Amino acid sequence: MTRAKGSTFLLAVVLFIASLVIIIASIASGPRLLNPFRMDRETSQMLLAIRLPRTAIALLMGGALGASGAILQGIFRNPLVDPYILGISSGASLFASFGLMFGLALFSLSVPILAFIGAIVTGAVVVILGRGWKGLQPERLLLAGVGIGFFLSAVLMLVMTTSGDDGLKRAILWMSGDLSMVDWDLFPAGLFFVLIGFGLGLSRRHGLNALTLGDEIAYSLGFDPTRERLFLFVAASLMTAAAVSVGGVVGFVGLVVPHIVRRHVGSDASVVLPLSVVAGGTMLCLADAIARTVAAPLELPAGVIVALIGSPYFIFLLGKGKISD
């Protein structure tokens, strides 16, 4: 084992141990502290019905957003790209908000299904618009995503101004990354699509490494940039759509986590993608624990806590010149 691989392995072990500690602390913390050595029937029910599904959804969402951010920043060779800048979250938010504000949520999974459909449809439109005569061009793809995102956000604001107060409040909470209403019903479908997206992204890790060096070098290494970019975009879209559909919109995880991981282990996608999953899941898990503890019994949206923590740290990295491709 070389010195670099040994250092990466050690960092991975430290990250896993820190993640495990934070996950356990997250499960135990909240308006009512759970003691694992003194569990009665009421606390057991609270653990199984509320704390565990909430922690599991936070890990799933954060992991998916972390890996999506790492993939998209590699595709576009742009450190400021995150899963939400491509309009995918705007599509999911618009469809989900229709369900919340106009009573289309006929059963518990209606909103996640609507959000997933909105994200997938938006991703497909962005791919179509981003395809030029040279194939799938990163500049066209990025501009198409930004344009579609602004348009859908404007439509969403228009719809929100015409909705009733109750539906409007629920829609705002959903778009703020509120995890207080999640349950086990959401987890299997979300995990299924996240695993498909992550598996696809990991299988194209060598293509992602080649794309970060530029299209000409990727060609010379035997990779078709358009094909690799399409596969990787589909992988990131599936993970983002699944994340948004199970818990709403949570920003900054997909932007900040890949930078933190690359800063410590380098830019090899074989290492960055799995560790971004662990780091992203841990970050959102920690944010959710803070959100339900810091102002108890009032619960804050986890997405707000992530933004409050993530944005100053991102500015700090930017100021120190630590933001890298």
Side-chain angles (χ1 to χ4, degrees):
M1 183 180 290
T2 65
R3 184 174 180 179
K5 286 185 177 178
S7 176
T8 300
F9 178 75
L10 182 61
L11 283 170
V13 171
V14 171
L15 176 60
F16 275 108
I17 293 174
S19 300
L20 190 60
V21 171
I22 290 174
I23 290 168
I24 294 173
S26 172
I27 294 172
S29 63
R32 177 175 173 179
L33 186 64
L34 297 185
N35 185 346
F37 301 105
R38 298 182 63 183
M39 300 289 288
D40 55 23
R41 183 175 180 182
E42 183 182 356
T43 54
S44 297
Q45 289 178 339
M46 181 184 296
L47 177 68
L48 295 174
I50 299 176
R51 297 288 176 86
L52 285 179
R54 189 163 175 166
T55 301
I57 291 291
L59 289 170
L60 182 69
M61 286 182 66
L65 294 173
S68 299
I71 289 175
L72 292 173
Q73 289 173 11
I75 291 176
F76 293 103
R77 301 179 66 197
N78 187 332
L80 297 180
V81 172
D82 80 345
Y84 296 141
I85 203 170
L86 297 176
I88 296 173
S89 66
S90 298
S93 299
L94 182 62
F95 275 57
S97 297
F98 268 120
L100 290 166
M101 292 186 289
F102 297 115
L104 302 179
L106 301 178
F107 55 96
S108 62
L109 295 179
S110 295
V111 172
I113 291 174
L114 286 170
F116 187 79
I117 293 172
I120 292 299
V121 169
T122 305
V125 173
V126 170
V127 167
I128 293 171
L129 294 176
R131 192 175 182 83
W133 64 276
K134 288 184 178 179
L136 205 58
Q137 299 297 304
E139 296 82 6
R140 287 181 61 94
L141 202 59
L142 185 58
L143 290 174
V146 172
I148 290 291
F150 273 116
F151 175 74
L152 293 179
S153 295
V155 174
L156 178 60
M157 291 300 110
L158 183 63
V159 171
M160 289 175 69
T161 58
T162 63
S163 68
D165 291 340
D166 184 55
L168 180 62
K169 181 179 179 181
R170 284 186 291 144
I172 291 174
L173 284 174
W174 188 88
M175 287 187 291
S176 302
D178 179 35
L179 301 182
S180 62
M181 300 300 291
V182 300
D183 55 43
W184 284 120
D185 292 341
L186 301 169
F187 190 74
L191 179 63
F192 176 74
F193 287 107
V194 168
L195 287 178
I196 291 178
F198 182 72
L200 179 59
L202 198 60
S203 70
R204 315 308 296 188
R205 60 190 183 280
H206 299 304
L208 182 58
N209 285 335
L211 286 176
T212 60
L213 301 175
D215 285 10
E216 292 185 1
I217 295 179
Y219 266 123
S220 68
L221 294 174
F223 295 99
D224 181 342
T226 295
R227 185 186 61 193
E228 297 300 325
R229 200 167 277 124
L230 179 61
F231 278 132
L232 289 164
F233 186 81
V234 170
S237 298
L238 277 176
M239 288 190 283
T240 303
V244 176
S245 66
V246 298
V249 179
V250 176
F252 271 103
V253 174
L255 179 64
V256 173
V257 164
H259 289 292
I260 297 174
V261 172
R262 282 197 299 267
R263 183 181 175 189
H264 294 287
V265 302
S267 58
D268 183 0
S270 303
V271 179
V272 171
L273 290 181
L275 292 188
S276 292
V277 170
V278 178
T282 304
M283 174 183 278
L284 189 52
C285 195
L286 176 63
D288 184 50
I290 295 172
R292 65 179 126 92
T293 305
V294 68
L298 180 66
E299 290 197 14
L300 306 174
V304 172
I305 301 298
V306 171
L308 289 174
I309 297 174
S311 52
Y313 184 70
F314 188 77
I315 293 171
F316 167 76
L317 291 179
L318 193 63
K320 292 289 184 180
K322 301 295 185 183
I323 302 298
S324 59
D325 294 335

